[in-house]
Amino acid sequence: MGEFDLINRYFKRAAKSAQVLLGNGDDCALIAPAPGQALAVSSDMLVEGRHFLPGADPKLLGHKALAVNLSDLAAMGAEPLGFTLALALPRADEAWLSGFSQGLLALADAHACDLVGGDTTAGPLNICITVFGQVPTAQALRRSGAQVGDDIYVSGAHTAHGPEMVGQARLALDMLQGRVPANPELLARAAPRMHAPTPRVALGRLLRGVASAAIDVSDGLLGDLGHVLRASGVGASIQADTIAINFIAACALLTRANGQFNINFARQTTLSGGDDYELCFTAMPSAREAVQAAAAQANCTATRIGQIERESGLRLLDAQGQAVANTFASWDHFA
Amino acid sequence: MGEFDLINRYFKRAAKSAQVLLGNGDDCALIAPAPGQALAVSSDMLVEGRHFLPGADPKLLGHKALAVNLSDLAAMGAEPLGFTLALALPRADEAWLSGFSQGLLALADAHACDLVGGDTTAGPLNICITVFGQVPTAQALRRSGAQVGDDIYVSGAHTAHGPEMVGQARLALDMLQGRVPANPELLARAAPRMHAPTPRVALGRLLRGVASAAIDVSDGLLGDLGHVLRASGVGASIQADTIAINFIAACALLTRANGQFNINFARQTTLSGGDDYELCFTAMPSAREAVQAAAAQANCTATRIGQIERESGLRLLDAQGQAVANTFASWDHFA
């Protein structure tokens, strides 16, 4: 199978979005955002051995590669339009390609996001997606919009399979790598959070005009919130245990047994565990009802976890309002 | 040096284009094409050992990684606006990063093309750039626009360093890999064509409204022209020796010695040698003066090499009008 056969068989499809004037098969795709809207653009690269393990299920990988990019659109309040896929493959493996394209295109279809072009080459497995969305320019959820006095939220969901929240992806990784004893019921729920995260695209769109700033949690909640604080020139206090206690409760619910994890483990996992792709966002206290309405409409939850303050830096408080030392580092690919 | 230090030190800069509303440092960049224009988008991935040799000069590599993407904009007639860079690096090597970013950003500045975002990760060396340009929707140079009776052209240039034309990048590769005896004068001219190609961005823009179809020559002239023919539902006759004789003459000029290469070698090198990033385009015979005016204004040449015909397929003719067998395969990463 040659390069062009491979593209035709697994990745070529007609563009559906009215904003995509020309899809793949030319030197460039042509995309025209609707009048008054800007194009939101983001790139993420997934490398075997870093972002996923060798032998990872190609269908889940196809899903995840697009999901992490859609999550960036969500964090901007943008509506997905299309994406390019650049793929380096050790060899043209039809079983792998079939699974990968299924997972990728199923998520693309669910978000009406057209595959508009890309590149395929031989090389160590590497998946680079660049995603395009549109957002009314003035309503884009920038990192720099947080104001003193704003509430800080993190998203989650209650699904038929149980609660979804930050920390679960990290818990799955810890169990799969043996740092935490594997509990089959917990792992069954946590593993899909790591392998096939749900980008909060609908929530991001509904937060336009409601949230003052947003980011998606990819490297860890506190680390990613730190980007918002620096971009906005503000600091924050976080009720660290609001989310840690929720995490313990969620784990207890899934295992029907209490006491699985202590508070220190829960803090570590929820505050520094990355790869969750929940949204962390800020909004004025007067917008509390609007935030909950947006979350409900998106079938999500929005948990209030702190406040934006004038004093720079991040202060963590326990359930009794006592300071907790911040030892929760984020993921860094070169640290 | 951590991931964010690396980005700040080598790649963070303020956006200059009026069309770039938000540059790097947020979840997405925001780009708004001018009214009436569509965004042209293309992605290319460069892998160590496939697209460049281990130990390649990082400054040239930075140039080339962006050049091959700008070439796709040129082939669409689009004006560059910005690009994202996703980079997998075995380690954070400051000397490499410094050279790479210099080469990359010098070419970006020359084309007023803003680095608007991206991703950095550890992994086998891989450079994935997605480039954005704008083009009036109706004037985009699509592959599908070639009409029966159109002339077929390939671009080149006469520079202070000598002629530039298709085949030189392949000649450099053949010399560097020992398939052709290295001639220092020829190699000195051919190597920059392979290591630091010049994207024909100005020519592409000037061909708006003049050319009927265009593609850039990355995989080989005949193979890339074949994409135009299939997309347009037409065939072509090519005066194979027009360009082969030009190639022999150019080599003779550079070496001040005739007879370096025979016609078969020159055909092979010019018709199937890729990595040149010249433009192959079609235009009506009534546009011959306009084509030459566009080429002159862009400091390029436009050599007429054939005609679009109704009969599908590609027919090669020698200088006497006799058929030449087409044994000139294009590059295929999985063949």
Side-chain angles (χ1 to χ4, degrees), chain B residues 203-322:
Chain B
L203 178 61
R205 286 186 65 183
L206 291 163
L207 287 173
R208 291 178 187 170
V210 175
S212 54
I215 192 168
D216 69 324
V217 179
S218 55
D219 293 335
L221 178 58
L222 294 190
D224 288 321
L225 174 61
H227 296 305
V228 170
L229 300 182
R230 281 187 293 278
S232 301
V234 295
S237 281
I238 297 292
Q239 282 80 50
D241 289 354
T242 301
I243 200 144
I245 290 168
N246 279 356
F247 182 81
I248 292 171
C251 292
L253 184 72
L254 288 164
T255 56
R256 282 155 291 176
N258 232 321
Q260 173 92 6
F261 300 119
N262 69 29
I263 191 79
N264 282 326
F265 178 82
R267 284 175 187 158
Q268 178 70 39
T269 304
T270 55
L271 298 177
S272 79
D275 231 13
D276 283 302
Y277 304 98
E278 295 297 344
L279 297 184
C280 176
F281 59 96
T282 59
M284 288 193 295
S286 61
R288 283 180 190 173
E289 279 186 31
V291 166
Q292 294 307 325
Q297 198 182 331
N299 291 314
C300 290
T301 59
T303 303
R304 193 147 48 86
I305 58 166
Q307 297 78 37
I308 297 293
E309 297 173 343
R310 193 172 310 276
E311 190 191 339
S312 68
L314 198 54
R315 290 158 289 284
L316 303 183
L317 305 173
D318 68 13
Q320 286 72 46
Q322 301 296 306

Side-chain angles (χ1 to χ4, degrees), chain A residues 11 43-46 65 69 83-89 96 100 104 115 117-121 124-130, chain B residues 42-47 69 86 126-130:
Chain A
F11 298 112
S43 285
D44 272 300
M45 179 176 264
L46 271 64
N69 278 282
F83 67 105
T84 59
L85 167 69
L87 194 56
L89 296 169
W96 191 93
F100 180 81
L104 179 80
L115 175 52
D119 196 10
T120 51
T121 177
L125 187 54
N126 184 308
I127 305 156
C128 183
I129 286 181
T130 303
Chain B
S42 184
S43 285
D44 272 301
M45 179 177 264
L46 272 65
V47 175
N69 278 282
N126 183 309
I127 305 157
C128 183
I129 286 180
T130 303

Side-chain angles (χ1 to χ4, degrees), chain A residues 236-277:
Chain A
S237 281
I238 297 293
Q239 282 80 51
D241 289 355
T242 300
I243 200 144
I245 290 167
N246 279 356
F247 182 80
I248 291 172
C251 292
L253 184 72
L254 287 164
T255 56
R256 283 155 290 175
N258 231 321
Q260 173 91 5
F261 301 118
N262 68 29
I263 191 79
N264 282 326
F265 178 82
R267 284 175 186 159
Q268 179 70 39
T269 305
T270 55
L271 298 177
S272 79
D275 232 12
D276 283 303
Y277 305 98

Side-chain angles (χ1 to χ4, degrees), chain A residues 15-39:
Chain A
K16 289 175 207 140
S17 165
Q19 260 55 58
V20 176
L21 309 182
L22 183 64
N24 58 23
D26 215 306
D27 294 289
C28 295
L30 294 176
I31 304 177
Q37 305 213 27
L39 212 78

Side-chain angles (χ1 to χ4, degrees), chain A residues 31-207:
Chain A
I31 304 177
Q37 305 213 27
L39 212 78
V41 172
S42 183
S43 285
D44 272 300
M45 179 176 264
L46 271 64
V47 176
E48 187 175 62
R50 297 295 298 191
H51 302 89
F52 56 92
L53 300 174
D57 180 337
K59 196 168 169 181
L60 294 174
L61 204 51
H63 173 104
K64 185 164 179 175
L66 183 58
V68 303
N69 278 282
L70 290 173
S71 180
D72 284 313
L73 291 185
M76 213 72 194
E79 167 195 3
L81 295 177
F83 67 105
T84 59
L85 167 69
L87 194 56
L89 296 169
R91 62 189 189 285
D93 174 335
E94 301 214 26
W96 191 93
L97 281 162
S98 171
F100 180 81
S101 66
Q102 275 176 49
L104 179 80
L105 297 177
L107 185 65
D109 287 345
H111 290 278
C113 190
D114 289 322
L115 175 52
V116 300
D119 196 10
T120 51
T121 177
L125 187 54
N126 184 308
I127 305 156
C128 183
I129 286 181
T130 303
V131 75
F132 313 101
Q134 63 182 1
V135 60
T137 307
Q139 294 193 317
L141 302 178
R142 302 181 179 208
R143 293 181 182 178
S144 57
Q147 301 286 332
V148 174
D150 280 356
D151 296 319
I152 303 170
Y153 296 85
V154 64
S155 69
H158 291 297
T159 76
H161 306 291
E164 296 184 342
M165 63 177 298
V166 289
Q168 291 171 321
R170 172 64 162 271
L171 178 64
L173 184 66
D174 282 346
M175 285 186 175
L176 291 171
Q177 297 191 336
R179 282 185 298 274
V180 170
N183 172 310
E185 287 162 310
L186 262 185
L187 186 57
R189 182 68 213 124
R193 296 276 299 158
M194 172 187 166
H195 292 310
T198 304
R200 302 298 186 195
V201 174
L203 178 61
R205 286 186 65 183
L206 291 163
L207 287 173

